[in-house]
Amino acid sequence: MVREFKPVDQNVEWRISDLTVPYPEAIDQMENRVAAIRAGHMREMVWLLEHPALYTGGTSAQPADLLDPDRFPVYQTGRGGEYTYHGPGQRVGYVMLDIKRRKSDVRAYVRDLESWLIATLARFNVRGERRDGRVGIWVDRGGGRDDKIAAIGVRIRHWVSYHGVALNVDPTLDHFDGIVPCGIHGHGVTSLWDLGITPTMPEVDNAFRSAFEEVFGRTTEELAG
């Protein structure tokens, strides 16, 4: 089932997939949407979904960081970054925006994605933080322990963005053991449920949506039904 939202300003469409979406299918749909946005034929879009368990390698992925290549399917992808895991219990947010129309600043766009994740986590009273030299959003567990709760990986084509963010809601955390997440050694991975916070996926979707409006500007209203 796919839920869609009608934009107020005709700029951003929201789509939520309730079933897991195969990774190649998601890439094909994003590629087509990016081309349509660039041509002015379709609106920008935010797509919230889950994938079956898999690993993806970004443009900076190091072969040594793929520790268990036979555990899950591995996809090489054109987004920035290194290896990451996607799977059930992790909400992926694919963001297809016309960056040139908005800011013409890729670094500012990535900063906004970070702010979006931080604002989403704040709705569950979780303090998500940036770390210098480390990609993603982190949670201070105390005693010098930092765990990663969300990943970011983007690609820009002709000033239209795609790929995006991934927030750990309740994934199987030992699935991350087959890689060095984002090439960062010496740190763990956490999730909302691991922190003792147990929202449903629709509650996470609502938090994503309201936080997006806070960071990027109010753009949508839900289509009834």
Side-chain angles (χ1 to χ4, degrees), residues 162-180:
Y162 57 125
H163 297 274
V165 304
L167 174 63
N168 296 334
V169 180
D170 185 27
T172 302
L173 291 179
D174 68 13
H175 285 181
F176 287 88
D177 293 346
I179 58 171
V180 178

Side-chain angles (χ1 to χ4, degrees), residues 39-186:
H41 297 155
M42 298 189 78
R43 300 189 299 268
E44 299 170 309
M45 185 171 78
V46 178
W47 186 10
L48 302 180
L49 57 93
E50 293 171 87
H51 286 304
L54 57 92
Y55 297 129
T56 68
T59 55
S60 301
Q62 301 298 311
D65 290 338
L66 182 59
L67 305 177
D68 189 355
D70 299 322
R71 188 170 189 179
F72 300 121
V74 181
Y75 296 93
Q76 301 302 321
T77 182
R79 62 159 175 80
E82 303 190 40
Y83 281 107
T84 193
Y85 166 78
H86 295 312
Q90 182 192 72
R91 207 44 153 181
V92 175
Y94 287 138
V95 186
M96 288 150 272
L97 299 181
D98 184 343
I99 303 303
K100 193 168 187 179
R101 183 181 70 80
R102 290 169 176 269
K103 289 183 178 179
S104 295
D105 187 332
V106 174
R107 288 191 177 184
Y109 170 65
V110 173
R111 189 85 176 174
D112 284 345
L113 291 179
E114 294 171 341
S115 297
W116 181 33
L117 286 166
I118 290 168
T120 299
L121 289 166
R123 282 153 170 78
F124 300 105
N125 296 314
V126 173
R127 182 180 177 86
E129 299 178 310
R130 300 174 175 91
R131 292 288 184 265
D132 289 342
R134 284 192 254 144
V135 179
I137 301 301
W138 299 79
V139 175
D140 184 348
R141 304 298 297 272
R145 175 184 170 186
D146 257 354
D147 285 349
K148 189 172 186 177
I149 196 168
I152 298 172
V154 302
R155 186 174 183 181
I156 310 293
R157 176 173 292 172
H158 302 294
W159 289 102
V160 179
S161 70
Y162 57 125
H163 297 274
V165 304
L167 174 63
N168 296 334
V169 180
D170 185 27
T172 302
L173 291 179
D174 68 13
H175 285 181
F176 287 88
D177 293 346
I179 58 171
V180 178
C182 298
I184 300 170
H185 295 264

